[in-house]
Amino acid sequence: MTNEVHTPVTAEELAHSFEDAAPAADISGYAVEDWVALAIFWMMTACVFLQFFTRYVLNNSYAWTEEIAINCLIGVVFIGSVMCVRISRHIQVDVLYHYLPKTFARGLSIMVDLVRIAFFAYACWLMWRYVSIVADERMVTVDLPRSVVFYSVMAGFVLMLVRSVQVFVENQRRGYSVLERPDAFLPQED
């Protein structure tokens, strides 16, 4: 175990440290789907808190909060997945690309992009068929259509398809993908 070195700081030095200007927040890297997922997340959080409060504090829980929270979680997952597609952060195995010849690795990377596009296109088609079959279902505890949830899943797949096409085009312009050069996609420190 290493000994930690703690530099003594006076109260005055600590007080003056708050006078420094706070770094500017850069939100330019966020897209519309990120903000929508964040809003749905906070709706889910509010429902879970309300469920906890009514169950354990008031001893009389609302039945609808669990269903709404579950449906919000579905929205967060599928709308939030769009962000992962946009910034190429879904689970992937890139160690193989270090051992392959560059031309073969490039071809394999292009194939992965095309398979991803085909998968999302197929998922969009399946969701379209599913929504048309169950469009008239209602939620159990709240008299709202379940199609709201199904359409959010379909919107997630459509946006993932659009983002995966954008990623493919950017990879073609750049000449490499995150699979081939993951270090090029790491955030740069100032």
Side-chain angles (χ1 to χ4, degrees):
M1 218 163 139
T2 61
N3 291 333
E4 293 185 25
V5 178
H6 294 280
T7 308
V9 178
T10 66
E12 186 173 314
E13 289 173 330
L14 183 62
H16 286 296
S17 69
F18 291 106
E19 294 172 358
D20 298 337
D26 181 23
I27 60 171
S28 63
Y30 297 105
V32 173
E33 62 267 13
D34 303 336
W35 299 109
V36 171
L38 182 66
I40 297 171
F41 171 79
W42 281 110
M43 286 177 20
M44 178 187 69
T45 303
C47 284
V48 170
F49 176 76
L50 184 61
Q51 173 71 13
F52 176 82
F53 182 78
T54 57
R55 178 178 289 172
Y56 294 109
V57 176
L58 302 179
N59 204 22
N60 185 12
S61 64
Y62 293 135
W64 59 268
T65 54
E66 184 176 356
E67 184 175 23
I68 298 299
I70 290 169
N71 291 331
C72 286
L73 179 61
I74 293 168
V76 166
V77 166
F78 285 97
I79 301 298
S81 291
V82 180
M83 176 180 54
C84 292
V85 171
R86 187 185 77 245
I87 60 175
S88 298
R89 290 293 186 247
H90 273 120
I91 296 173
Q92 52 201 14
V93 179
D94 56 8
V95 71
L96 177 68
Y97 291 86
H98 295 289
Y99 300 107
L100 294 174
K102 288 199 182 290
T103 56
F104 189 73
R106 183 74 191 126
L108 188 59
S109 174
I110 291 171
M111 187 186 78
V112 166
D113 284 344
L114 293 175
V115 167
R116 179 175 43 224
I117 291 170
F119 171 78
F120 288 135
Y122 183 62
C124 289
W125 179 74
L126 286 177
M127 274 310 297
W128 179 256
R129 289 193 55 203
Y130 182 71
V131 167
S132 67
I133 293 169
V134 297
D136 297 329
E137 285 187 14
R138 307 295 286 179
M139 293 185 188
V140 176
T141 58
V142 180
D143 191 27
L144 291 173
R146 294 257 319 139
S147 59
V148 172
V149 179
F150 302 140
Y151 280 123
S152 72
V153 172
M154 191 169 81
F157 277 124
V158 168
L159 289 171
M160 283 187 267
L161 174 63
V162 169
R163 293 298 190 186
S164 64
V165 169
Q166 289 175 339
V167 167
F168 174 70
V169 170
E170 287 178 24
N171 288 345
Q172 295 309 304
R173 286 184 186 151
R174 190 182 312 111
Y176 60 88
S177 74
V178 69
L179 293 170
E180 299 165 89
R181 293 182 50 195
D183 53 326
F185 291 84
L186 294 175
Q188 303 297 324
E189 293 189 26
D190 297 328

